[in-house]
Amino acid sequence: MKQRIDGGDDLDSLNLFLPFVKRAMKNQKIFLDSARKYGTPQYILDEDFLVDNVREIKKNFSKDIVGFKLFYAFKSNDLPYMIRLLKEEGVNADVSCMFEMQLALKLGFEKIIYTAPYKSLQELEYAVNSGKIIINIDNVDEFNALCSLCKRLKKSASISFRIRTKNNNWKKFGITNSEFVKLANVAMKDPLLNWTGVHFHKSWNIDAKSYVDGLTEIADCLKENFSHEQLSRLKFIDIGGGLLPFESISVEDGVEMPCSIKQFSDVICSAVKKNIFEKLNINPEIWLEPGRLISSQATSILLTVKATKESESEYIVDGGTNLLGSPMFEEDYFPVVNISAPSEKLTIGKINGPLCDPADHWGKYYFGEKLKNDDLISVLNMGAYTFSTAWRWQRAIPKYVTFSARKGKSVIVKDEESFEDRYSGCKI
Ligand SMILES: Cc1ncc(COP(=O)(O)O)c(C=O)c1O
């Protein structure tokens, strides 16, 4: 479903957000208490939602695939406390840099895959020395660097290959089928390299098509180029992340509605059965490594209205788009609710942040009664690519609070950035 929205005419599309608004209304007291207790701005994590959502993903994918394993892309939100909760739910680690590798090891993850278009020698060495991080090879030069490193260290490395499937235009990432076949043959002859898996990833999927295409292409390539005995040694096929968790509404692309987790899993699982279990007659684990599907909906941002420009219906709140790392609301719509006086009514009024930049705003619409000073605002679905990409600009990265209604718990799990944090390492 695609439908244009031009910022004024098609406000009906925003009613797609009503289910999120209703959930925020249920949390009204928790949000008000949290703002009173810890202050705003704050990121706030709903632990119960996070856990239920992960269980739902695992349940749907595991029902048809015994060897299904869920990984979490740390890059989408690297809040250590949240990642620990995910680990307790049996989720594994998908990391993309030194900090994330260190965090995964510190949190005690056993299954860790490391994917990035560039990995420094220091990072490769760290991964090899860990003895448990699987290095997902992105390019030929990286493969050669790793071969030399293993020789120098006299240590072995577990590797997989990131294949750029034909439906993926992002040439920056991964290798072609023919490069993969060449490198895998070299790896099989190298006693220090343990080829354990293949991987592909395509971002931003509203349905299962790219997973079906990727699985079909990779299975055909494997069947054509490797013996059954060679393929039987593969421990996993990693089909990446990229499942869109909720409707995206943007000025440019209109409305993009993703299918449900069940619809994704039904189609993907049958493609796995057909291509991997039947066509190749092998039984590797199937790894899925979403980021936003796991992290986005569980976190909201709480802000307080500090000034009203009555004549323009404009407001200024105490947190800005430095919390996000990009001026997302210039192009996209997210549900914003007046938590002090919530309702399902859409009200017009532009909510600006405190940064010295006109692009620093939270959109021109919100659900609820007309705002006034000291009202609390909740911006919903703010858990993915926000905290982890937050800008170091002007104002502090705020605190992160977590709550569980089931456990009657609310606690700060990351302090607000201080002057010392900001200028750490700087000569003054
Ligand atoms: C290799 C890889 N895996 C997983 C992800 C997570 O993607 P998403 O958050 O869209 O699920 C990304 C995102 O960039 C990625 O590059």
Side-chain angles (χ1 to χ4, degrees):
M1 170 179 159
K2 271 210 172 187
Q3 181 180 326
R4 285 203 68 79
I5 177 158
D6 62 10
D9 294 330
D10 187 17
L11 295 186
D12 282 354
S13 302
L14 300 190
N15 287 325
L16 289 168
F17 290 146
L18 280 176
F20 305 118
V21 175
K22 285 181 189 154
R23 185 155 65 84
M25 285 164 78
K26 274 198 201 137
N27 285 330
Q28 182 191 30
K29 183 170 175 334
I30 290 170
F31 286 172
L32 287 170
D33 287 349
S34 189
R36 206 171 299 126
K37 197 163 166 195
Y38 306 117
T40 57
Q42 65 172 259
Y43 301 97
I44 181 165
L45 171 72
D46 181 342
E47 287 186 22
D48 300 343
F49 184 92
L50 180 87
V51 166
D52 291 348
N53 185 39
V54 158
R55 290 182 185 168
E56 177 74 9
I57 300 169
K58 285 177 74 174
K59 186 183 85 192
N60 276 284
F61 280 90
S62 316
K63 76 178 183 318
D64 289 328
I65 302 177
V66 180
F68 171 76
K69 292 275 179 300
L70 184 61
F71 283 65
Y72 169 61
F74 281 28
K75 64 174 86 68
S76 83
N77 185 329
D78 59 339
L79 181 72
Y81 178 88
M82 184 185 78
I83 295 178
R84 183 183 288 286
L85 289 179
L86 295 173
K87 180 171 177 291
E88 284 165 12
E89 288 300 311
V91 176
N92 305 288
D94 164 23
V95 298
S96 64
C97 58
M98 181 62 106
F99 286 144
E100 293 176 9
M101 282 194 282
Q102 290 169 322
L103 183 58
L105 290 180
K106 200 170 175 72
L107 291 172
F109 280 91
E110 286 298 326
K111 274 189 197 276
I112 305 168
I113 184 162
Y114 173 28
T115 304
Y118 166 69
K119 305 174 185 77
S120 70
L121 259 187
Q122 189 201 11
E123 287 171 314
L124 287 172
E125 190 162 339
Y126 184 85
V128 172
N129 281 332
S130 77
K132 52 175 77 152
I133 297 175
I134 297 167
I135 299 167
N136 196 20
I137 299 290
D138 179 87
N139 56 70
V140 178
D141 290 320
E142 179 179 290
F143 179 82
N144 292 333
L146 182 66
C147 292
S148 310
L149 179 69
C150 288
K151 236 178 247 155
R152 175 163 67 74
L153 297 175
K154 300 192 179 61
K155 286 200 168 157
S156 62
S158 284
I159 60 165
S160 55
F161 293 99
R162 178 173 187 168
I163 300 175
R164 188 172 65 249
T165 47
K166 296 199 174 92
N167 60 4
N168 198 336
N169 298 325
W170 289 356
K171 300 212 165 61
K172 169 170 177 177
F173 302 106
I175 48 178
T176 60
N177 282 334
S178 59
E179 285 170 326
F180 155 62
V181 172
K182 269 190 214 140
L183 295 187
N185 276 298
V186 176
M188 284 188 291
K189 289 188 200 117
D190 188 329
L192 293 178
L193 293 182
N194 178 19
W195 172 35
T196 55
V198 288
H199 166 275
F200 65 94
H201 165 82
K202 188 164 183 285
S203 288
W204 206 262
N205 301 295
I206 58 170
D207 58 35
K209 184 172 183 323
S210 78
Y211 302 92
V212 176
D213 292 349
L215 281 161
T216 310
E217 181 182 326
I218 280 177
D220 288 344
C221 171
L222 289 171
K223 192 170 175 70
E224 205 177 303
N225 293 288
F226 300 95
S227 69
H228 184 257
E229 197 268 319
Q230 288 168 329
L231 295 182
S232 301
R233 285 186 247 143
L234 279 184
K235 298 242 176 4
F236 67 88
I237 311 277
D238 183 337
I239 62 173
L243 301 92
L244 197 63
F246 53 84
E247 45 275 40
S248 153
I249 307 184
S250 82
V251 175
E252 194 54 33
D253 300 321
V255 179
E256 291 181 273
M257 285 289 277
C259 57
S260 67
I261 293 175
K262 180 170 185 318
Q263 287 165 329
F264 268 119
S265 67
D266 283 352
V267 180
I268 292 174
C269 290
S270 79
V272 165
K273 269 195 223 154
K274 183 171 153 205
N275 288 285
I276 308 299
F277 302 155
E278 290 165 14
K279 196 190 289 175
L280 299 180
N281 189 24
I282 57 173
N283 237 322
E285 290 179 352
I286 303 299
W287 293 5
L288 180 74
E289 51 179 34
R292 66 185 83 233
L293 186 70
I294 292 177
S295 61
S296 61
Q297 293 181 69
T299 286
S300 306
I301 287 173
L302 299 184
L303 308 163
T304 304
V305 178
K306 292 295 181 186
T308 303
K309 298 196 168 176
E310 198 63 64
S311 52
E312 278 94 16
S313 271
E314 297 230 357
Y315 303 91
I316 296 181
V317 295
D318 56 0
T321 49
N322 61 311
L323 275 76
L324 311 175
S326 69
M328 269 155 51
F329 287 74
E330 285 277 271
E331 291 296 331
D332 297 315
Y333 296 79
F334 295 89
V336 179
V337 183
N338 177 359
I339 287 295
S340 297
S343 77
E344 293 175 22
K345 185 175 83 182
L346 194 64
T347 304
I348 294 182
K350 188 169 177 194
I351 302 172
N352 297 283
L355 305 179
C356 305
D357 178 356
D360 173 39
H361 67 87
W362 302 91
K364 299 175 196 149
Y365 314 97
Y366 55 91
F367 291 88
E369 303 307 317
K370 192 168 158 44
L371 287 170
K372 54 184 181 0
N373 286 356
D374 298 326
D375 276 354
L376 182 70
I377 287 174
S378 171
V379 188
L380 311 179
N381 301 342
M382 285 287 113
Y385 306 102
T386 50
F387 170 67
S388 61
T389 52
W391 263 332
R392 183 192 172 285
W393 195 36
Q394 295 184 40
R395 306 188 79 86
I397 312 284
K399 60 195 76 72
Y400 219 124
V401 175
T402 175
F403 75 91
S404 160
R406 292 203 282 260
K407 295 182 192 153
K409 160 182 166 190
S410 147
V411 60
I412 292 187
V413 289
K414 187 196 179 294
D415 290 333
E416 180 174 297
E417 186 186 24
S418 65
F419 179 87
E420 286 71 29
D421 297 332
R422 170 73 47 120
Y423 297 108
S424 162
C426 295
K427 287 196 170 53
I428 296 189

